[in-house]
Amino acid sequence: MGTTAEGFLRPRFSRELTSDERAKLVRVCPSVAQDSPPDGRKLDPMWGPYISAETGYAGNKKLRHKAASGGALSGFLISLIKSRQVDGIIHVAADPVNPLANVTTVSTTISDIIGAAGSRYAPSSPLDILNTLRGGARRFAFVGKPCDVSALHALRQQDPEIARLVPVLVSFFCAGVPSLLGGQDILDRMSVDALDVARFQHRAEGWPGEAKATLRDRTQHTISYEESWGTLLSKRVQHRCKICADGSGVFADVVFADAWEADAKGYPSFEDRPGQSLVLCRTERGRSLVDEACASGQLKLAPYDLNTLAAVQPGQTRRRRVLLARLAALWVLGRPIPRYRGMGLWAMARRASLSDTVRNFGGMMRRVYKRSMKEEGSC
C-alpha cells in the first residue's frame, strides 16, 4: 500500500494479477458487492441486523477518559486478552515516523491496547498484515473500519485458515476516511509545523476530546472536535465513502460508536462530559464476549433504545437516506457502482425528502463531471 498525492492509501502492484486473484478480489471486496442476510436476528432498516443494543463505558476510569467514546472498545479488547479468548489484537495505531498517519499493529498486552487507544481519523489498511500471521496456533481479534470487516468476513468464508486465525470481528461507526491532508489542515489551523510534531491525537483525553498536537519541545496545541472533524476532516473524506452502505459495521460481531447526548432539538451535543459508548452485538458470539467483559468488570453497560440513535447520529442517518440517489446518479453516468443486498437501501430512501434526494442526485453528477474534467485536463 502506498500514499497518493491526494493523501489516501492505494495498492501498488508489482505484477499483473492472475485471473484467479482477480476473481478472489471480486468475491471479497466491499466496493464490488455486499450481502447482509438477517439470519434470524432483529433487523433495523437503519442500523442493520443485531442481537442487542447497550450503552456504557470502560470499567477503568482512566481508560474511559483516555480512550474515545468512553473506552468501551478498549475495555472489550482488554477482556479478550485477559480471558485468553485471543492471543492478540490486529488494529491500527499512530505511525511512529509520521504521527498523522496510521500503521497496522498487533497488540498482545494490556499496555499495548491502552497505548493505541483513541480514534485515528486517517487512512489505514489493517488487512495488510494477515498473510504474515498465517501458520501456528495463535488466534486474533480484528478491529477495523466497516469495509475492512466486510472484506475479512467474506474472506473467512473462503479461506479456512483465515477463519481459524481471526475468530472475532470488531468494528465501529465510520463516517468516512479523511485524507492525510486533513490532518495537515488541522496542523495549519494550529499554526504548527508537521516536522515539529512528536505525537498527534485526533481525539485526546475526554469526550468528545480535542485534536491535540504535542511538539518535540513538549508544548501542546489543541482545537475542538467540532472544528477538527466538523470543519476540516469531514471535507477531506474520499469519494468511495460517500456511496458506502455500511457505516455501522453490519458484518462485525460487536460494533462500538459514540452515544452522543442530544440537545433540546435532538441534535448531538459535543460538550465535554464523561464518555459514553454505544455497544451493538450483531452475533451470538459477540453477545457472549460482551457478557464476559461485563462480568469481569471491564465494561459497564445498560440497555439502549436503538430508536433514539438516528437523532444523535445525523451524519450516518443522512447518508443512508440519500445513498440510493447518489448511486442512481453514478449509474446514469455509466460509472460502476457496488451491488448491495440486504442493506436496506430502498427502505431508507423512502425516508428521504424529495429535496434531499434531488440535491444528492444532482450533487453526485456535478462531482463526477468536475472530476472527469480534471482528469482529462491532466492527461
Side-chain angles (χ1 to χ4, degrees), residues 41-62:
R41 296 169 291 175
K42 301 173 189 175
L43 181 60
D44 186 282
M46 177 65 208
W47 308 112
Y50 71 103
I51 302 294
S52 61
E54 295 166 293
T55 55
Y57 44 86
N60 184 306
K61 290 184 179 180
K62 290 183 179 180

Side-chain angles (χ1 to χ4, degrees), residues 4 6 53 58 96 125 128 145 265 310 330 334 369:
T4 67
E6 293 180 323
S125 56
D128 58 17
K145 304 181 297 297
K265 297 181 179 180
L330 292 174
Y369 177 76

Side-chain angles (χ1 to χ4, degrees), residues 115-134:
S119 298
R120 297 294 307 168
Y121 297 142
S124 63
S125 56
L127 294 172
D128 58 17
I129 202 173
L130 280 182
N131 282 338
T132 69
L133 300 175
R134 289 180 183 270

Side-chain angles (χ1 to χ4, degrees), residues 92-103 116 120 200:
V92 301
D95 186 340
V97 177
N98 177 7
L100 294 179
N102 294 320
V103 292
R120 297 294 307 168
F200 185 80

Side-chain angles (χ1 to χ4, degrees), residues 273-284:
R273 65 191 71 199
Q276 284 278 352
S277 301
L278 169 71
V279 182
L280 275 181
C281 295
R282 296 200 183 276
T283 66
E284 292 292 350

